Amino acid sequence: MSLGRLAAALDRLGWGALALAAVVSAASVIFSMIALAPMGRTFDDWLTYVHSADRLLAGSTIYAPMQLSGPYALPGATLIGYAYPPSSVPLFFPFLTYPAGLVAWLTLNVGLLITGLVAILKRELGRVRPLHVAFLLFGLALVRPFWEGVAIGNASVGLAGVFAWSWALGRERASVGILAGVGATIKLVPAVIVFWSTPASFPRAVLTAVAVGLALAVVTLPIVGIQSWIDYVKALSFSQPACGENSFWFPPSVACSLQPIVGVGAAKLGGILLAAIAGMLAMGTRSSVVSFALLTFAWLAPVTDLHAHYLLVVYVLVVVVAASWLGRRRRKAAATATT
């Protein structure tokens, strides 16, 4: 059999595998939705975003009274409160309706993730075959961060896609600052993408991220008001890690590990400090893969409660490592063949 016919046969096999992988990954999400439904958790994060936007449109406060009156654990604010910057709330306006808004929200998040992962393969392998994408989907079907993140409608799914796109677009690109600024508007942790740069390009990345974040804050200020920002700072200062919820499945967050030793405030600052150190090391590391691994740690370090969906960035890292290794092997084999 010629190489061309072999490649065509593999592509036909790949399309079949891709269809099966799509069904399996969708089934994993559906089963997760069914399992979470008795606990009232199916789409609960999407509902939290929707309720926050509804309160804003009704002229009420974005953040729950419990978040502004004293220490609280963030899981307790689900459905009644909000955990992110006020400038992110208007971004959810297109996704408020049911079922159209929910479908659009899930499609956006899953689309960002899958296209970002495919873009990684494209960058490292050149041509992406259906079988490659099938492996990606089978992998997603096996990991709790994906099917649970989609089932509850959390923004971490799409932000993991943003993280994947940061690798695909390349280090030192001007887009690094844009991705960091937009991501940090939705959740603060994607701000670490600014470290996906070199010491020479880092100042530009920071300035771009700050400019994007400020622009979104200024544009949305007439909608959210100054008081929402005051409430956000207060709610952020009062938040405490719940700890223990995911201890069976995943390691505890940095804050939960440090809290018994140094207290809540210092533990939260410790996570931020470790993120900054990892980010600076990533920026100064010549190996892109090592730098991206440090960036992954920097993404997770400041998270007070390490819920499953946050760990989707680890899956992104695994794809980066595997694709980079395979790409290097292909290039080496091609170079050997031409000599």
Side-chain angles (χ1 to χ4, degrees), residues 66-293:
M66 64 168 288
Q67 295 181 272
L68 307 176
S69 59
Y72 70 97
L74 277 173
T78 303
L79 299 179
I80 63 171
Y82 196 62
Y84 312 126
S87 54
S88 64
V89 178
L91 301 180
F92 295 113
F93 286 172
F95 310 104
L96 299 186
T97 59
Y98 179 86
L102 173 60
V103 171
W105 174 249
L106 297 180
T107 301
L108 172 65
N109 279 268
V110 174
L112 279 172
L113 177 61
I114 293 177
T115 57
L117 293 173
V118 171
I120 290 172
L121 297 185
K122 177 73 173 176
R123 178 181 176 87
E124 298 304 318
L125 305 180
R127 181 180 177 183
V128 180
R129 296 186 178 276
L131 194 58
H132 297 146
V133 184
F135 277 120
L136 289 179
L137 295 184
F138 278 127
L140 287 175
L142 293 174
V143 294
R144 178 186 173 189
F146 172 70
W147 35 263
E148 185 174 297
V150 178
I152 63 178
N154 195 277
S156 288
V157 176
L159 291 175
V162 170
F163 192 56
W165 272 108
S166 67
W167 173 276
L169 292 173
R171 204 171 176 181
E172 299 185 64
R173 295 284 295 272
S175 53
V176 165
I178 297 173
L179 293 179
V182 174
T185 298
I186 299 172
K187 290 190 178 186
L188 292 179
V189 288
V192 301
I193 294 177
V194 296
F195 294 112
W196 185 233
S197 53
T198 63
S201 63
F202 179 67
R204 182 186 64 181
V206 172
L207 288 175
T208 302
V210 170
V212 170
L214 284 177
L216 289 171
V218 170
V219 169
T220 58
L221 188 60
I223 303 173
V224 303
I226 295 177
Q227 185 60 46
S228 293
W229 282 98
I230 297 173
D231 290 345
Y232 171 62
V233 173
K234 187 181 295 186
L236 195 63
S237 65
F238 283 147
S239 69
Q240 295 187 350
C243 302
E245 180 180 336
N246 293 305
S247 58
F248 178 77
W249 288 89
F250 305 115
S253 66
V254 170
C256 287
S257 299
L258 294 178
Q259 181 179 346
I261 304 171
V262 299
V264 175
K268 290 163 64 177
L269 288 175
I272 296 171
L273 179 60
L274 285 176
I277 293 173
M280 296 298 289
L281 290 173
M283 183 178 61
T285 302
R286 296 183 64 181
S287 168
S288 293
V289 173
V290 174
S291 176
F292 204 72

